[in-house]
Amino acid sequence: MTTEVIVLNGGSSSGKSGIVRCLQAVLPDPWLALGTDTLVDAMPASMQASDAGIQFAPDGQVSVGPEFRTLEAAWIAGVAAMARTGARVIVDEVFLGGTDSRKRWQKALGGLRVLWVGVRCDSAVAADREVARGDRVIGMAASQADVVHRGMVYDLEVDTTHAESMECARTIAAYVS
């Protein structure tokens, strides 16, 4: 049974994107990297200033509305369709809705072989990375570090607090068959 989709779930600045790039380098076959940032970047700017879209509060809290959910559902279905037609996909996600977020992905990915990976990082370390990045609302990392993992059960967990992206990628790659 070959893994077709790898879903990485972790808070902002937890190191998911670095792990994704390293996974693409160490896995023997080509894998597409798609994530929640890909979705948000594809949306019109007006969606980032609307109650119906996605909003980033000054304290780092994120809220989404019905138009965002509609586009997200279509996007998730599209990612699943790519996997069903032979593309291997690594999903870089932030399950702000906890288990409800995962259920949306599980439904769409039904019948596919998925490796569910929790990417943990100490909130203080993630917050420091957030400041260094300079492209996130300060507070997102701290507010998301634990909440995205509540109620989650993973096939595998990695912790980037002290481990480098490549080390985490190699751990994940060992589970991909």
Side-chain angles (χ1 to χ4, degrees), residues 33-80:
L34 300 168
T36 193
D37 289 344
T38 311
L39 170 63
V40 172
D41 290 345
M43 292 182 176
S46 62
M47 288 285 293
Q48 294 186 30
S50 162
D51 289 343
I54 186 168
Q55 293 185 317
F56 302 93
D59 66 354
Q61 295 295 318
V62 179
S63 60
V64 298
E67 287 179 9
F68 178 89
R69 287 286 180 228
T70 298
L71 292 174
E72 178 191 45
W75 183 75
I76 290 171
V79 171

Side-chain angles (χ1 to χ4, degrees), residues 16 51 59 82 95 115 118 130 154:
K16 297 180 308 297
D51 289 343
D59 66 354
M82 285 189 279
F95 288 163
L115 179 65
E130 177 180 69
Y154 300 107

Side-chain angles (χ1 to χ4, degrees), residues 89-174:
V89 181
I90 305 168
V91 178
D92 175 343
E93 256 294 358
V94 182
F95 288 163
L96 292 176
T99 56
D100 288 340
S101 296
R102 179 173 169 151
K103 286 176 187 174
R104 286 191 288 276
W105 278 101
Q106 282 178 306
K107 182 178 178 184
L109 298 172
L112 293 167
R113 288 170 298 280
V114 180
L115 179 65
W116 298 91
V117 180
V119 179
R120 296 189 181 268
C121 183
D122 178 80
S123 62
V125 171
D128 288 346
R129 291 177 187 167
E130 177 180 69
V131 170
R133 288 175 70 158
D135 66 348
R136 295 287 190 260
V137 176
I138 301 302
M140 283 177 64
S143 70
Q144 296 174 5
D146 294 321
V147 72
V148 300
H149 298 294
R150 285 193 191 130
M152 294 295 157
V153 176
Y154 300 107
D155 298 313
L156 175 65
E157 292 187 34
V158 294
D159 190 325
T160 65
T161 303
H162 301 290
E164 293 294 325
S165 296
M166 185 56 82
E167 179 183 346
C168 293
R170 286 189 176 120
T171 299
I172 296 165

